[in-house]
Amino acid sequence: MLKPRLSVKEILHQDPDPKQVHTIMGWVRTFRNNQFISLSDGSGPDVLQVVLELGKFDENLLKRITTGACLKISGKLVASPAKGQSVELLADAVEVLGDCDAEKYPLQPKKHSLEFLREIGHLRMRTQTFGAIFRLRNTAAFAIHKFFQEKGFLYIHTPIITASDAEGAGEMFRVTTLDLNHVPKNEAGEVDYSKDFFHRSANLTVSGQLEGELAAMAFSKIYTFGPTFRAENSNTTRHLAEFWMIEPEMAFYDLEDNMNLAEEMLKYIIGECIKQNDKDLDFLNKRWEEEERQKPAAERYPMNLLQRLQFVLEHPFERLTYTQAIEILQNSNYNKKKKFKYPVDRWGIDLQSEHERYLVEKHFQKPVILTDYPKDIKAFYMRLNEDGKTVRAMDILFPGIGEIVGGSQREERYEYLLQRMREMNIPEKELWWYLDTRRFGTCPHSGFGLGFERLVQFITGMGNIRDVIPFPRFPGHVEF
RNA sequence: UCCUCAGUAGCUCAGCUGGUUAGAGCACAUGACUGUUAAUCAUGGGGUCCCUGGUUCGAGCCCAGGCUGGGGAGCCA
């Protein structure tokens, strides 16, 4: 009788039944003793032990069962007599769907460095570590949709290709079909974009926020979740040229509503990951603890990965203004003993990573939300406070990551917005459609941007952002 | 882009003060063993010591330039 095929994850939850024949497909992790196959199909962190009775199978077949080979196995699920697994598959038939030359296959049943695995990005997903990471990434992505859908937010697709390059969120990638060897020029010697595909210059988006605001003026609560592109020459463990961003935008939300939403969302996503991927997290936690053990005691984090996630879930984020933060930093022993590379000497300076880290990791030892930054170090669209000096901005800072969320209450007053744009040389003509929202039924509204990969970094404990996206893009690198 | 550390076998690394034939573990191959959990034991093959140039009687080791990778900074999410 034809049975529906089970995944490894599913069959591991079945009760042993000596009568029922299952067919399982997957890839060999290890083959021990010419008898025991660890088979993985990526459906979960656990592998299925397949037992080949000695002498039952042809030797030439056994030689083809190598690390990485793809197999189709039918057999019966039995209780395992040995420790390590509760059930195992007693094989009746083994078919090699795809051979894997053990001498040439780069993945071995041993620990590899992340740097090496980065070079074989097409294969690294088959490892336990990257299996866990990308299953968690999947859970987090789905949790984001669940969170917003349950709250009545509309998922809107903002454009990937955009005409505006006015936002100042970062350097942009050009989108063109012009022949780069024969670029048409106008009389002034400039590139003649009227000959280009869109009849004007176009770029990849650096943010869906401005378009998101348009949608919020129609649907009240919206979110975007899509790829974003920044052509910055950033070479760090926290930056990518192509990354995914979540950007909710809410009409009638003030800054406090905005912060509440962001904090609730982060906790919801983390909670879902703990609930649904506990074994993946256990695995990454062990990995994390091993790495921590290598570090000198002074640099070790007081909590392990699981404790840290739990801690974030259980404690309210610390909220304070930029001005309060500056006071704390100025009065800190760190500052007095001149341990900061960039001394905190006056109100108005932009906070450096070391300052953010001090607040989050030393002073408060929990996530921090900083609000009301000086207007001069923030974007043009943030709402000006009564003091005329600060804006209704909020950044959420996470331990080990730094800024994970950046948001604000938006400047909804036409005159104020226009003035800020002029002060900051934002071309108002190009953003006529954005200004229109303030002319036609404007309203108080707020929103934020969450860097998805940074959140996945926090959840998985991975130190380098290039390890939490399947195919990272960064300066000099677009492989696969 | 800047600062910093590194590059030796497929992988992870050792290699003394510059000295003759460059090592280990894992992986791989062959054999033995057979209820293993990254199996174990034995044997074996495997090297452009990142590249170019220089110093030296002699360079994996010293010097200069470059390439590649890691970490940190800036920009930010």
Side-chain angles (χ1 to χ4, degrees):
Chain A
M1 192 170 42
L2 190 67
K3 298 284 178 199
R5 188 166 56 82
L6 297 174
S7 68
V8 166
K9 185 184 181 180
E10 289 164 332
I11 199 167
L12 289 173
H13 287 99
Q14 302 280 310
D15 292 323
D17 178 358
K19 275 167 270 172
Q20 189 176 355
V21 174
H22 294 284
T23 300
I24 294 284
M25 301 182 212
W27 292 267
V28 177
R29 274 274 167 71
T30 61
F31 184 33
R32 296 179 295 270
N33 233 352
N34 250 357
Q35 266 182 104
F36 304 100
I37 302 169
S38 278
L39 197 75
S40 164
D41 66 356
S43 53
D46 293 325
V47 291
L48 174 67
Q49 168 151 292
V50 177
V51 183
L52 308 187
E53 210 179 301
L54 278 173
K56 181 169 176 172
F57 296 89
D58 182 63
E59 268 198 32
N60 289 323
L61 176 76
L62 294 179
K63 282 195 174 155
R64 292 171 65 198
I65 301 174
T66 56
T67 302
C70 184
L71 304 182
K72 176 181 179 180
I73 297 163
S74 44
K76 297 171 199 85
L77 196 69
V78 297
S80 179
K83 282 179 189 166
Q85 60 281 315
S86 58
V87 292
E88 59 191 26
L89 194 74
L90 201 55
D92 292 326
V94 176
E95 183 187 339
V96 179
L97 297 178
D99 286 292
C100 188
D101 185 337
E103 205 165 352
K104 293 181 183 142
Y105 187 56
L107 291 177
Q108 303 157 5
K110 61 166 280 189
K111 192 171 173 169
H112 291 291
S113 67
L114 293 171
E115 293 80 16
F116 172 67
L117 291 171
R118 239 168 257 157
E119 291 168 15
I120 50 167
H122 57 309
L123 299 172
R124 69 175 180 171
M125 292 187 236
R126 300 187 187 187
T127 64
Q128 291 190 84
T129 299
F130 285 93
I133 291 167
F134 294 128
R135 279 187 295 271
L136 278 158
R137 186 182 164 108
N138 169 70
T139 298
F142 193 63
I144 284 160
H145 284 294
K146 266 173 40 183
F147 176 79
F148 284 115
Q149 292 293 327
E150 281 168 13
K151 288 195 172 310
F153 280 61
L154 184 103
Y155 176 37
I156 191 129
H157 298 103
T158 50
I160 307 291
I161 299 174
T162 167
S164 89
D165 59 355
E167 224 187 299
E171 289 295 310
M172 302 182 101
F173 288 101
R174 289 197 173 284
V175 176
T176 182
T177 54
L178 291 176
D179 180 352
L180 294 180
N181 292 313
H182 306 94
V183 178
K185 300 274 177 73
N186 62 17
E187 282 163 11
E190 295 157 339
V191 177
D192 184 1
Y193 286 108
S194 70
K195 301 277 196 319
D196 205 348
F197 185 87
F198 295 110
H199 297 186
R200 57 181 294 184
S201 75
N203 298 293
L204 291 178
T205 183
V206 292
S207 161
Q209 180 199 314
L210 300 189
E211 290 89 350
E213 283 187 51
L214 310 184
M217 298 301 190
F219 302 105
S220 299
K221 293 187 290 185
I222 65 97
Y223 69 105
T224 72
F225 185 2
T228 310
F229 309 88
R230 306 250 170 116
E232 302 285 351
N233 191 12
S234 300
N235 293 285
T236 80
T237 54
R238 311 180 288 289
H239 290 85
L240 291 165
E242 177 184 286
F243 64 100
W244 289 67
M245 193 149 63
I246 295 95
E247 293 178 289
E249 195 69 36
M250 298 76 64
F252 321 120
Y253 270 48
D254 63 16
L255 191 69
E256 198 186 341
D257 298 327
N258 200 19
M259 286 190 278
N260 291 342
L261 181 76
E263 182 169 341
E264 193 184 335
M265 177 197 68
L266 288 167
K267 288 177 172 173
Y268 179 85
I269 299 165
I270 292 168
E272 283 291 295
C273 288
I274 291 173
K275 227 187 292 173
Q276 296 182 37
N277 295 64
D278 54 329
K279 283 186 177 170
D280 286 320
L281 280 173
D282 280 341
F283 178 82
L284 292 172
N285 190 45
K286 273 190 206 117
R287 194 197 153 80
W288 205 79
E289 286 182 325
E290 265 169 43
E291 272 185 19
E292 285 287 299
R293 270 198 288 276
Q294 315 273 318
K295 292 183 190 168
E299 285 172 33
R300 280 179 215 157
Y301 202 76
M303 285 178 256
N304 69 25
L305 178 63
L306 291 176
Q307 289 163 339
R308 191 166 79 163
L309 293 176
Q310 205 62 44
F311 182 88
V312 168
L313 275 192
E314 287 165 5
H315 294 79
F317 297 0
E318 190 70 33
R319 299 182 186 190
L320 69 160
T321 65
Y322 166 89
T323 305
Q324 291 169 319
I326 288 289
E327 277 168 26
I328 290 171
L329 289 167
Q330 269 186 317
N331 295 327
S332 68
N333 281 333
Y334 253 60
N335 197 47
K336 286 175 183 162
K337 290 183 185 163
K338 301 196 191 306
K339 280 200 192 167
F340 287 131
K341 191 178 162 202
Y342 298 86
V344 183
D345 50 6
R346 63 182 173 85
W347 189 92
I349 59 161
D350 207 349
L351 295 181
Q352 307 293 322
S353 312
E354 58 177 349
H355 305 141
E356 296 179 350
R357 292 191 66 146
Y358 177 84
L359 289 170
V360 173
E361 290 162 25
K362 292 257 173 355
H363 190 82
F364 290 112
Q365 303 195 339
K366 60 158 106 166
V368 169
I369 312 183
L370 287 183
T371 63
D372 301 288
Y373 283 76
K375 64 176 181 178
D376 294 332
I377 58 172
K378 286 291 177 184
F380 73 93
Y381 48 72
M382 298 186 179
R383 194 179 199 277
L384 194 65
N385 279 317
E386 305 298 311
D387 61 13
K389 297 191 305 184
T390 58
V391 288
R392 302 245 75 193
M394 66 108 171
D395 283 0
I396 302 185
L397 311 177
F398 261 38
I401 308 286
E403 186 180 343
I404 197 166
V405 163
S408 64
Q409 183 170 338
R410 317 304 190 192
E411 181 57 82
E412 84 279 13
R413 299 163 295 184
Y414 181 81
E415 295 302 331
Y416 281 88
L417 182 62
L418 197 59
Q419 197 195 327
R420 285 300 286 152
M421 287 174 76
R422 286 174 180 164
E423 280 172 18
M424 300 176 81
N425 291 319
I426 310 290
E428 56 201 81
K429 266 190 187 165
E430 268 195 46
L431 290 181
W432 61 273
W433 44 272
Y434 185 68
L435 281 161
D436 262 7
T437 55
R438 273 63 169 175
R439 294 171 64 211
F440 305 129
T442 191
C443 73
H445 63 289
S446 300
F448 62 83
L450 165 72
F452 184 54
E453 281 75 17
R454 289 191 181 170
L455 177 61
V456 179
Q457 255 189 297
F458 182 75
I459 292 170
T460 58
M462 299 305 289
N464 194 320
I465 201 166
R466 294 165 192 173
D467 293 329
V468 298
I469 188 166
F471 305 104
R473 275 85 179 86
F474 50 102
H477 297 265
V478 253
E479 257 194 290
F480 314 112

